[in-house]
Amino acid sequence: MFRYECKKFLNWKLFLCLLILLGISCTISFLRYKGVSQASDTAVSEELYREYGGELTEEKLKRIEELKEECDRVLAQETEMEGKYSRREIDADTYLAYREQYHDYYSRREAIEAFYERSLQAEENGTWLIFDSYYEELAGSMDMRPALFFAIALIAVLSVSCERKRLFRVLCVTKRGHKTLVRTKAGTVFACCAFLAILFYLKDLMLLASFSSFSYLEAPIQSISVLTSFPVQISLGVWLVFALIVSLILYGGMGTFLVWIQMNRLYGFW
């Protein structure tokens, strides 16, 4: 009976529909990650997090504070240095060196200020400094995946609609046959939906890996801005595993529930 249920899903039309849905999901996720990577301050922020990010220490906090003070000092000296140069108190080489330093800090000012504020928050909350914009996109995509939901609905509908009503009633003529069919159908749909959940989850991880890295898997999950209120203190790596398990249960259960609704509506056995 399990083999019979599986045969319903082994057809090219279903594979084509699932491939289209997966392609749509990949395209949307890629564009969202690409939008983050092309933001005006992303390159500067990533450079700062590479140099000063990771687990916070007193030495790192001191270096970040010194960077902020140096940025403020250089930007505040513009009028003074222009006056010195106009009065011939400094030569052209010194002034040009200052202007180069000024433009460097000026282009990075907003990113440095945001990074400094983030370091103060991280110090207060006892978290790490991580460039989390890509992880925020990953967390957001896990809240609800419309393409995955439609794929699961398609699996559930196919599982029930391909059943001949008369044959279904014959198979369910006994209590044992009824329970066996229901368990087989629910188990098959759950397995198919769980496989789809894994497939979409791996898609998200591959996209994340193509734009970022998994360098801070030991960092607490609260280091991600959108997950600061997460009730349990776990690492980012454990959270990724936890998110996979939740996806398996959630979407597998969703497919099973949709099958239950359809069978109840069409055949009235509950």
Side-chain angles (χ1 to χ4, degrees):
M1 190 175 292
F2 180 77
R3 184 181 299 178
Y4 169 73
E5 290 293 329
C6 290
K7 284 183 178 179
K8 297 177 182 178
F9 310 120
L10 299 178
N11 64 83
W12 68 271
K13 293 181 180 179
L14 175 62
F15 288 148
L16 180 60
C17 290
L18 295 179
L19 185 62
I20 292 174
L21 289 172
L22 181 61
I24 293 173
S25 180
C26 284
T27 302
I28 294 174
S29 297
F30 176 80
L31 292 176
R32 291 173 62 180
Y33 282 110
K34 192 70 174 177
V36 173
S37 67
Q38 292 181 339
S40 59
D41 61 341
T42 293
V44 176
S45 296
E46 287 185 310
E47 181 182 350
L48 290 172
Y49 280 97
R50 278 195 300 268
E51 184 173 357
Y52 301 97
E55 187 175 7
L56 279 180
T57 61
E58 291 296 330
E59 179 183 355
K60 283 187 177 181
L61 288 170
K62 183 178 179 181
R63 290 174 58 199
I64 295 171
E65 187 174 355
E66 290 174 349
L67 173 66
K68 175 67 166 54
E69 291 175 351
E70 176 70 6
C71 177
D72 293 340
R73 182 185 63 80
V74 170
L75 295 180
Q77 284 182 330
E78 181 183 19
T79 303
E80 178 185 352
M81 294 299 289
E82 287 180 349
K84 287 183 178 180
Y85 179 66
S86 63
R87 293 191 300 270
R88 308 290 183 180
E89 295 179 10
I90 56 175
D91 56 24
D93 290 339
T94 302
Y95 180 70
L96 289 176
Y98 166 75
R99 295 303 304 181
E100 182 177 352
Q101 187 182 32
Y102 173 87
H103 286 300
D104 175 58
Y105 279 118
Y106 184 81
S107 64
R108 299 191 300 159
R109 179 182 59 183
E110 292 185 2
I112 290 175
E113 290 178 351
F115 182 72
Y116 177 71
E117 293 297 327
R118 181 75 184 278
S119 70
L120 296 180
Q121 296 174 3
E123 180 185 17
E124 181 180 350
N125 299 327
T127 55
W128 290 27
L129 276 175
I130 300 174
F131 183 70
D132 58 0
S133 296
Y134 296 118
Y135 284 101
E136 288 183 356
E137 292 295 334
L138 176 65
S141 67
M142 289 180 181
D143 290 340
M144 188 59 189
R145 299 184 176 101
L148 179 55
F149 176 79
F150 285 124
I152 288 174
L154 181 62
I155 291 290
V157 170
L158 192 63
S159 175
V160 177
S161 62
C162 290
E163 199 75 71
R164 295 181 180 179
K165 190 169 184 178
R166 290 183 179 180
L167 177 60
F168 185 87
R169 291 187 180 276
V170 170
L171 292 172
C172 293
V173 70
T174 64
K175 186 176 181 179
R176 180 178 179 182
H178 165 73
K179 289 184 176 180
T180 300
L181 181 61
V182 171
R183 283 197 298 265
T184 303
K185 194 177 292 291
T188 305
V189 171
F190 184 90
C192 291
C193 293
F195 173 76
L196 288 176
I198 293 175
L199 191 62
F200 276 75
Y201 184 81
L202 292 178
K203 175 265 299 180
D204 288 330
L205 290 186
M206 290 177 63
L207 282 173
L208 176 64
S210 65
F211 285 93
S212 183
S213 65
F214 297 102
S215 304
Y216 302 112
L217 294 181
E218 69 275 20
I221 189 59
Q222 286 76 14
S223 301
I224 310 301
S225 298
V226 297
L227 297 173
T228 52
S229 59
F230 197 77
V232 183
Q233 186 81 13
I234 58 175
S235 67
L236 182 56
V238 173
W239 175 76
L240 291 175
V241 175
F242 175 75
L244 173 60
I245 295 173
V246 171
S247 294
L248 294 178
I249 296 174
L250 175 63
Y251 292 105
M254 185 183 299
T256 305
F257 181 67
L258 290 175
V259 168
W260 180 87
I261 291 177
Q262 291 181 86
M263 293 175 69
N264 184 33
R265 182 175 61 85
L266 294 175
Y267 304 110
F269 283 101
W270 286 270

